[in-house]
Each structure stands twice: as C-alpha cells, then as structure tokens.
Amino acid sequence: MNQETAQRFAQEWLDAWNAHDLERVLAHYADDFEMISPIITQVTGNAAGRLRGKQAVGAYWARALEIFPNLRFEPICTLVGVDSLVIHYVGATGKRVAEVFHLNSQGLVATASAHYEP
C-alpha cells in the first residue's frame, strides 16, 4: 500500500457512496468480506455488529441508504498502513467516522471496521 493507491481507493469509494451506487461500493470488496460496525447492531439487531459477504452487507447498506436518503461523506484524510488504509470522513449524521480497510492480495477489502464519534 502506498499513498497514491490509498488515495485512489478512498476517492473511488467516497464517490461511489456519494452517488448512492451500491454496486460500485461493493466492487471494492471481496465476495466473503467481513464488515464490523456498531451501526450494524442498530440497523439489523445483530448483537455482534458483524456481517459477512456481499449479500448480507449489501442488504444492510441498502437499508442504510433508505434511512439516510441524503447520505454524503465528506473526506477528512486517508491514512496508509501495510495492506490497509483508513478513510477518515464526516458521515451522514455530521459526526466523524474512521473506517479501517484490510485488503487481500487482489486489492479487495477482506475486512472493514467502522468507528464512530460518540
């Protein structure tokens, strides 16, 4: 992972979300990826806050787009790790969010976890 790759991923990911284009969003993820988020618990009732696979996470995100029809993410910064990156942004509720993405050898997200400002 380098800054250029991370920035490109972040811009494409943010653009897809801001267009509410779920297929473009999901194109960044491996078929069996795991999503971890406290919002999963709120939206789905899943106490573990974890979902696996494009079908399950796609359904969750489709519901989130219904709940937040004016959803827009405003980037703050992108941080680079080893085979990972963090996108720090202002989310739908106006609070800061940091999402950590761990990529597989094909450059697709294998696991992602979202962290929200209280």
Side-chain angles (χ1 to χ4, degrees):
M1 181 63 62
N2 60 45
Q3 188 64 37
E4 181 181 329
T5 302
Q7 283 301 129
R8 185 173 46 252
F9 177 98
Q11 191 61 58
E12 290 171 359
W13 185 87
L14 289 161
D15 288 347
W17 271 110
N18 288 340
H20 295 199
D21 188 335
L22 194 51
E23 290 304 314
R24 273 177 52 206
V25 172
L26 287 168
H28 294 91
Y29 298 84
D31 289 338
D32 64 344
F33 82 99
E34 181 178 40
M35 183 70 210
I36 306 160
S37 170
I39 305 300
I40 289 172
T41 302
Q42 294 174 12
V43 173
T44 69
N46 175 323
R50 295 171 181 262
L51 293 172
R52 181 171 294 280
K54 284 187 177 183
Q55 184 174 1
V57 180
Y60 156 65
W61 284 341
R63 179 71 181 123
L65 288 170
E66 290 173 10
I67 294 169
F68 297 103
N70 297 321
L71 178 132
R72 180 152 184 85
F73 296 158
E74 295 296 330
I76 296 171
C77 69
T78 301
L79 307 172
V80 179
V82 176
D83 296 327
S84 63
L85 67 135
V86 175
I87 302 175
H88 186 202
Y89 61 92
V90 176
T93 64
K95 293 186 178 184
R96 292 177 296 169
V97 181
E99 291 208 34
V100 181
F101 303 89
H102 293 274
L103 306 181
N104 64 18
S105 60
Q106 289 80 42
L108 296 173
V109 178
T111 59
S113 57
H115 304 78
Y116 298 87
E117 180 177 27

